[in-house]
Each structure stands twice: as structure tokens, then as C-alpha cells.
Amino acid sequence: MSGQKKMPVSVAIFASGAGSNAERIIEQTLLNPDGENEDFSVDLIVCNKPGAGVLNIAANHGIETMLIEKEQFFRGDGYIPALKEKGIQFIILAGFLWKVPAPLIRAYTNKIINIHPALLPKYGGKGMYGDKVHQAIIAAGERESGITIHYVDELYDHGSIIFQANCTIDDQDTPESLAKKIHSLEHRHYPEIIKGLLKDAK
Ligand code: GRF
């Protein structure tokens, strides 16, 4: 086997929104000067929202997209056969708002990760997403927040934690300014953590 190039891990990103994290993750795969021996390649964007910004990002990078429907996602094997058929080996959630169903978690055990815009276990769980998280944190008078990258299990925002980074909150901060701080932490760390995880996975 020596001398043979390893294949990059084939990744699907699941996203429902603007896709700024998805874009940074895609850019990470373009940084390799050799271009043929990346640790991972983003081969599919899975999205549940027609018109979401992440679909434009996929198009700009020539990445295949799969628009999914709620009824099929939560029924039986859902989209597992389609993902397997496409050779997807690892799933990254980046602003994906539906709960991941148990069969999909079992089909990709320890191969699905998520980023949450707070320091779990605080400010996680059902209903805690997007701006609601930042509003709750500011309303509670917290002096710090941060990001959590974690494996996905069958409970919302519950799987084992891979990485956390924090930021301070000062008196002037609003949910909007906190969201900006969090996004910049996400953009700095999520691509790097993914690269590290998938390098070890090979
Ligand atoms: C991020 O803040 C992420 O933590 C949360 O959803 C947001 C997605 O933002 N789960 P974007 O679509 O990547 O810009």
C-alpha cells in the first residue's frame, strides 16, 4: 500500500441557512497546495430550505446539493440510502435546524458533528438555536459565551464535546454583536477542528 495516495474523506454538510460556516469549511479543502490529497472533500450540501444562501455557496463551488423533505427525512431510513449511494462517509451540521433522526445517527455513529453557538451544556436543547441563544444569554447577564463543537447523538445538543472556545460579553453587547463574535469564533475554529478530526480518521 505504501506510496499510494489516501483518498479524502467524503463529507456532506447539512445546513438550513446562510451557510457562512459551510463556506469556510469548503475553503479549508481548497487550501491544500497539492489539491489531490486533501484530508476531506465536501461532496454534497444537504438543505431543507429552498432558497437558502447555502445553496448559492454550493453552486459557486460546483458542489452537488440535495434538497430534502421533512416527511421523508423522518420516515424509516430517510435519506440514508441516498447518502450511502453517494459515498458520504462523514456528516457536518452547520446551522441545520432539524433534529437528526435515530436511524441516521446509527448509520453514521460518531461520524456526525455539530456546532452550537454557546458553551454547552448551557443554552442548549430544543428551541435553543440561532438568535434565540444569544438573546437568552444577554438577558441572563452572562459575562461570557462561546462555541461548542460536539458529536451528535439522539438528544439535542447533547453528544460528547470535541472542542469549545469562549469570548467575553461586555455591557455594550447586544444579541446582534454577540452573534458576530460567535460567528467569527466559528469561522476560525470549525474548519480546523474538522480537518484535524478527519486527518485522524484516515
Ligand atoms: C451558526 O451560528 C451555528 O452555530 C448555528 O447556526 C449558525 C449557522 O450560521 N448552529 P451560518 O448559516 O453558517 O452562517
Side-chain angles (χ1 to χ4, degrees):
M1 295 295 277
S2 67
Q4 268 192 2
K5 283 197 169 183
K6 287 178 183 168
M7 292 293 287
V9 176
S10 181
V11 163
I13 299 179
F14 285 36
S16 311
S20 68
N21 279 284
E23 186 159 43
R24 297 310 192 290
I25 296 163
I26 294 163
E27 283 165 359
Q28 175 75 68
T29 68
L30 309 177
L31 294 177
N32 195 314
D34 157 338
E36 290 175 20
N37 192 22
E38 298 148 348
D39 299 309
F40 68 98
S41 79
V42 178
D43 295 326
L44 185 67
I45 302 285
V46 175
C47 179
N48 63 302
K49 224 171 169 188
V54 71
L55 295 171
N56 291 331
I57 289 167
N60 291 341
H61 290 278
I63 297 173
E64 187 184 346
T65 55
M66 190 163 88
L67 210 47
I68 57 171
E69 286 166 12
K70 198 162 202 170
E71 204 190 314
Q72 187 180 342
F73 189 64
F74 290 103
R75 189 185 343 116
D77 277 349
Y79 290 88
I80 297 169
L83 294 167
K84 294 285 182 185
E85 201 174 292
K86 291 177 193 299
I88 298 302
Q89 298 168 293
F90 198 89
I91 295 173
I92 295 166
L93 310 185
F96 183 69
L97 296 184
W98 290 349
K99 192 169 183 207
V100 180
L104 183 52
I105 291 169
R106 284 196 295 269
Y108 285 90
T109 307
N110 287 327
K111 292 193 167 74
I112 308 179
I113 61 169
N114 181 42
I115 191 161
H116 185 77
L119 294 170
L120 292 175
K122 290 176 92 175
Y123 301 100
K126 197 167 165 42
M128 272 292 161
Y129 59 87
D131 292 342
K132 290 174 198 274
V133 177
H134 308 309
Q135 282 158 9
I137 289 170
I138 295 287
E142 296 282 358
R143 305 313 290 169
E144 68 163 10
S145 185
I147 61 168
T148 303
I149 297 169
H150 64 95
Y151 288 105
V152 172
D153 68 9
E154 293 179 28
L155 303 174
Y156 269 117
D157 302 325
H158 177 266
S160 56
I161 291 174
I162 299 163
F163 175 85
Q164 291 185 306
N166 46 9
C167 62
T168 55
I169 298 175
D170 51 50
D171 292 340
Q172 287 75 41
D173 270 317
T174 61
E176 294 72 30
S177 67
L178 177 56
K180 280 193 188 141
K181 288 183 181 178
I182 294 296
H183 255 113
S184 80
L185 277 181
E186 292 181 333
H187 297 162
R188 187 175 335 141
H189 294 292
Y190 206 17
E192 267 177 29
I193 293 293
I194 291 165
K195 189 175 167 66
L197 272 181
L198 296 183
K199 191 178 231 129
D200 293 344
K202 288 199 297 188

